[in-house]
Amino acid sequence: MSRSTDIGHAAGKSPAWHDLLSKLKLFGRIGLPVAFFFIHLHLEKDKAMKLVIMTLPTFFVEEDKILTALFDEGMDNLHLYKPGASPMYSERLLSLLPEETYGKITVHDHYYLKNEYGLAGIHIDDGTKDAPQGYKGKFSMTCTDISTLAAMKKKAEYVFLADTFMRGNGGHYDKTGAQARLAEAVSLGLIDKHVYAYGEVSIDNIKEAKELGFGGVVVCEDLWNKFDIHNEPDYKDLISHFGKLRKAVS
């Protein structure tokens, strides 16, 4: 029996297959290779994605307590992202966290913190740059141009695909533009376990990211919006939402 016959036979037996194949209409212009790619993703869909939590770009009073609570709840990949801030404040924050969490933290900028605190690695936000000369260790990168994604994947532990669920000029989710861009990446076979969805990722689109084949998702605002740093007396809603995010990627 041919490969295409096998696929058709399986699809005839399972409503889930019909659901999967209906989704492929979004990529009808690209052709059969993409269809086979998505069928492979369907077979792999039970594998959990990685969940990356990115800090807010600014520091706030309760941050160390919330991060410690998140680690206690199972967070295993935190990206410390404080663009433009003095490294002194990052050092202060790290000093307030339990030492056993350092191996779960990746730092953006101030790369010396990686060795000083024994962090998991560094992240390179500017995709035109390489790891610092002489650096030995794990690093990840952000990709803003799909044409450079393949090369980045060869160098980095994993790559954030920026603006995965990008917004249009009106501030709303540009579904048509995002789908066209992702369709291009899928057609080139670029989306896999080493590529993480980054940009407007929320509890509402994690399933879509998983179906597209992303190996992980990067969550920022969708989590931190559950806590008002000026008015909230506690952060139980944020911790509860983190639990929902973990469930969504599993």
Side-chain angles (χ1 to χ4, degrees):
M1 186 180 291
S2 69
R3 186 181 182 188
S4 59
T5 304
D6 285 340
I7 292 170
H9 182 67
K13 287 187 175 183
S14 170
W17 280 95
H18 289 294
D19 179 63
L20 171 70
L21 293 175
S22 69
K23 289 183 173 63
L24 297 179
K25 292 179 181 179
L26 294 172
F27 304 95
R29 299 178 189 174
I30 295 172
L32 193 58
V34 176
F36 281 122
F37 180 76
F38 267 80
I39 289 169
H40 169 72
L41 294 183
H42 179 80
L43 296 173
E44 298 291 315
K45 73 174 184 177
D46 291 333
K47 293 185 178 179
M49 292 193 299
K50 301 294 184 182
L51 174 60
V52 175
I53 300 299
M54 184 174 287
T55 65
L56 287 174
T58 55
F59 296 91
F60 58 94
V61 175
E62 299 290 331
E63 188 166 19
D64 63 296
K65 295 183 178 64
I66 294 178
L67 292 178
T68 298
L70 288 171
F71 281 120
D72 288 342
E73 292 297 317
M75 179 172 67
D76 59 8
N77 193 336
L78 173 72
H79 274 240
L80 182 58
Y81 177 66
K82 304 291 183 180
S86 166
M88 172 182 66
Y89 296 112
S90 291
E91 289 185 18
R92 166 81 174 156
L93 177 60
L94 289 168
S95 71
L96 295 173
L97 299 176
E99 289 186 14
E100 60 267 24
T101 67
Y102 292 166
K104 302 174 183 178
I105 300 173
T106 296
V107 66
H108 295 232
D109 298 321
H110 313 310
Y111 295 146
Y112 75 91
L113 294 171
K114 191 269 182 189
N115 290 331
E116 187 163 321
Y117 287 89
L119 304 182
I122 66 173
H123 185 90
I124 303 171
D125 291 298
D126 185 345
T128 65
K129 297 181 179 179
D130 291 320
Q133 187 173 5
Y135 174 78
K136 294 181 180 179
K138 296 180 179 180
F139 68 92
S140 50
M141 305 180 76
T142 295
C143 175
T144 58
D145 182 352
I146 288 178
S147 67
T148 66
L149 182 55
M152 284 189 184
K153 286 169 59 178
K154 294 178 181 179
K155 298 185 290 185
E157 187 83 2
Y158 51 86
V159 178
F160 293 175
L161 182 58
D163 301 322
T164 299
F165 298 106
M166 60 187 179
R167 293 183 180 274
N169 293 332
H172 301 292
Y173 174 39
D174 181 9
K175 187 171 183 178
T176 301
Q179 286 178 342
R181 184 167 176 267
L182 291 174
E184 178 187 359
V186 169
S187 70
L188 296 172
L190 295 174
I191 306 300
D192 58 23
K193 65 180 181 180
H194 300 293
V195 181
Y196 294 5
Y198 173 44
E200 306 297 338
V201 175
S202 72
I203 192 76
D204 297 322
N205 54 35
I206 286 178
K207 181 180 178 182
E208 183 178 352
K210 191 171 186 178
E211 290 175 344
L212 286 167
F214 283 97
V217 290
V218 185
V219 177
C220 185
E221 288 87 355
D222 186 63
L223 177 66
W224 296 109
N225 285 344
K226 304 304 178 184
F227 175 70
D228 185 339
I229 63 176
H230 302 293
N231 300 310
E232 290 290 337
D234 60 53
Y235 39 85
K236 62 182 180 180
D237 289 343
L238 183 148
I239 299 300
S240 174
H241 191 67
F242 174 72
K244 295 175 183 177
L245 291 169
R246 289 193 72 200
K247 184 176 181 180
V249 300
S250 64

